[in-house]
Amino acid sequence: MNTDTLAPDTQLVHLGRDPAANHGIVNPPVYHASTFIFESVAQLLETRRDRASGAFEQFTYGREGTPTTRALEDAVTKLEGGYRAVVTSCGLGAICASLTAFLSAGDHLLIVDSLYGPVRQFCDEFLVKFGVEVSYYDPLIGSDIAHLVKTNTKVIYLESPCSLTFEMTDVPAITKVARARGITTIMDNTWASPLCFKPLSHGVDVSIHAATKYISGHSDLMLGIAVCNEASFVPVKKTASASGYCGGPDDIYLALRGLRTLGIRIARHQETATAIARWLQRRPEVSRVMYPALPDDPGHAIWKRDFTGASGLFGAVLKPCSEVQFAAMLDHMELFPMGYSWGGFESLAVPTYPATLRSARPWTEKGPSLRLHAGLEDPDDLIRDLERGFARLVAAR
Ligand SMILES: *Cc1c(COP(=O)(O)O)cnc(C)c1O
């Protein structure tokens, strides 16, 4: 079947599976494998040539993937218009493998200031130790990033919107600067899922997902995927393989199962997040809501230009209140328990501390901030839970 001409919801149903090759069974089998037996020296040598040529078509060893791995890689590659993808043990693994694929001692890395915290830690504590020069750029920099580029800049790393403060970066403006200078761009696209933004068609070389989040959708596994264009596939594949990042077969199977319903889930996450965000904007306890899908969000114009939808993760800054008041709200939420991660079927809340994760563009908000994930529950139930939370906050005054 030629899936290229199909709409995304139809693609989600058909990509990465082939019933005719599997006794007519709808879903692809889960291959549990470390070892692949070679029938002859000639066949073994053939797999070595396959690898050396950068084809990576043949299966040789479990760490390099199985047909189950390939099914998920092929599905997400098609969704994002990539060349090939590499599945890893978690989202951070996909990021670390992609960064180290293109960086060597003496190279310079430009990284967005608002990015996912553990990546900042990897860059500051590990890449620096191996002689990589790391500097941070303002997420709102746009084409002015050209002024930060040095002769040794090898990689520009993007995330938009970022998952604490939700600023929108002008991705095409940055990739234009990078392309003109031969700089590789790597983007964390987890917030948008493969449905709402297509990094590769906006000039990005490697698009990364924490499949732990929306792709799996059920808060029960860790997995990452790096979708590559043709030039970036071999370096990322080799680095992921050499560093030992490989995903487990049952987790990959569950991620494929999650992928089937991604379209309806994301639509519902967006609808509920929008309803809650609008309600929050009218609350006297709230200073600002951060969700680029809202028409008055500072990033809305870029979101509207480049994205085809939004997920259910957004932020809010409250008016200044005491720690006791903030805790009175968050400690007793029923439908928004506190937890890291997001992208599952359930709602979550978590206090955020952006000021501790900034160096290029300081965080100047006075009030406490939180991040909410709008799950698949009834939106009115969720709003009532937040309403009771604000009542506790006010009462604790
Ligand atoms: C969770 C997350 C990651 C890391 O994914 P893991 O699977 O937890 O390693 C990367 N980027 C963003 C934006 C995330 O939210």
Side-chain angles (χ1 to χ4, degrees):
M1 188 191 312
N2 177 12
T3 52
D4 292 344
T5 56
L6 298 171
D9 280 342
T10 318
Q11 287 185 322
L12 286 172
V13 168
H14 288 280
L15 293 174
R17 63 189 189 87
D18 182 6
N22 181 34
H23 311 285
I25 296 169
V26 170
N27 287 294
V30 185
Y31 286 99
H32 283 270
S34 58
T35 310
F36 293 74
I37 303 293
F38 304 106
E39 282 171 6
S40 62
V41 172
Q43 194 204 356
L44 184 147
L45 289 174
E46 177 55 34
T47 64
R48 289 172 71 93
R49 277 193 292 275
D50 172 76
R51 212 174 179 287
S53 73
F56 290 99
E57 290 291 345
Q58 298 178 11
F59 298 106
T60 54
Y61 185 57
R63 193 174 56 225
E64 308 268 319
T66 70
T68 313
T69 322
R70 195 68 59 80
L72 180 62
E73 290 172 347
D74 289 351
V76 181
T77 297
K78 280 269 186 201
L79 284 171
E80 288 211 346
Y83 169 72
R84 291 274 295 272
V86 181
V87 160
T88 56
S89 46
C90 67
L92 189 59
I95 293 166
C96 297
S98 300
L99 285 170
T100 50
F102 299 102
L103 291 166
S104 307
D107 290 343
H108 175 229
L109 163 67
L110 267 171
I111 197 153
V112 65
D113 200 26
S114 45
L115 85 172
Y116 178 67
V119 181
R120 178 180 282 265
Q121 204 174 341
F122 176 72
C123 294
D124 290 350
E125 291 179 19
F126 295 93
L127 287 183
V128 164
K129 197 168 74 173
F130 291 95
V132 175
E133 192 188 338
V134 176
S135 47
Y136 291 87
Y137 65 87
D138 179 343
L140 306 180
I141 198 165
S143 54
D144 281 347
I145 195 148
H147 304 310
L148 300 183
V149 168
K150 305 184 186 190
T151 49
N152 60 337
T153 305
K154 285 283 157 54
V155 173
I156 300 177
Y157 183 91
L158 306 95
E159 183 183 338
S160 175
C162 42
S163 64
L164 288 186
T165 47
F166 302 91
E167 288 101 331
M168 292 295 299
T169 297
D170 190 337
V171 176
I174 288 182
T175 57
K176 192 171 166 210
V177 169
R179 283 276 155 117
R181 291 162 177 77
I183 297 167
T184 299
T185 48
I186 301 170
M187 176 168 177
D188 185 331
N189 195 34
T190 305
W191 182 86
S193 91
L195 291 184
C196 303
F197 183 65
K198 312 284 180 188
L200 273 63
S201 64
H202 290 84
V204 171
D205 296 301
V206 183
S207 163
I208 290 170
H209 291 277
T212 308
K213 312 286 166 60
Y214 283 115
I215 291 177
S216 89
H218 293 74
S219 305
D220 52 2
L221 62 87
M222 305 292 299
L223 219 52
I225 187 161
V227 181
C228 304
N229 60 13
E230 191 165 356
S232 62
F233 170 67
V234 170
V236 173
K237 173 72 188 170
K238 280 190 174 167
T239 309
S241 164
S243 322
Y245 298 116
C246 67
D250 292 309
D251 291 341
I252 294 170
Y253 179 85
L254 287 172
L256 271 165
R257 185 153 85 169
L259 195 66
R260 306 296 170 209
T261 56
L262 184 65
I264 53 169
R265 284 189 287 111
I266 288 286
R268 177 64 181 262
H269 285 299
Q270 175 172 356
E271 198 180 304
T272 301
T274 304
I276 296 174
R278 289 216 166 103
W279 179 83
L280 285 172
Q281 283 186 314
R282 296 194 298 271
R283 291 294 309 192
E285 300 86 354
V286 174
S287 148
R288 187 159 80 82
V289 176
M290 301 173 285
Y291 188 47
L294 293 179
D296 49 356
D297 188 275
H300 186 71
I302 290 179
W303 175 80
K304 208 167 167 182
R305 184 191 69 191
D306 296 341
F307 284 54
T308 54
S311 67
L313 191 76
F314 64 101
V317 180
L318 303 188
K319 302 244 175 81
C321 66
S322 69
E323 271 177 41
V324 171
Q325 285 182 293
F326 194 38
M329 175 182 185
L330 288 176
D331 281 351
H332 304 285
M333 300 300 290
E334 288 178 350
L335 302 178
F336 284 95
M338 269 182 285
Y340 292 125
S341 195
W342 41 276
F345 53 81
E346 82 288 17
S347 290
L348 291 166
V350 77
T352 56
Y353 305 96
T356 62
L357 290 167
R358 291 292 180 130
S359 48
R361 185 186 182 84
W363 182 252
T364 53
E365 296 287 352
K366 299 276 179 289
S369 54
L370 74 162
R371 183 177 77 185
L372 296 172
H373 181 246
L376 303 177
E377 303 91 338
D378 184 282
D380 292 338
D381 284 337
L382 295 174
I383 285 173
R384 275 191 289 274
D385 198 34
L386 288 166
E387 197 163 29
R388 288 190 293 266
F390 284 130
R392 287 192 300 275
L393 182 146
V394 171
R397 201 182 301 263

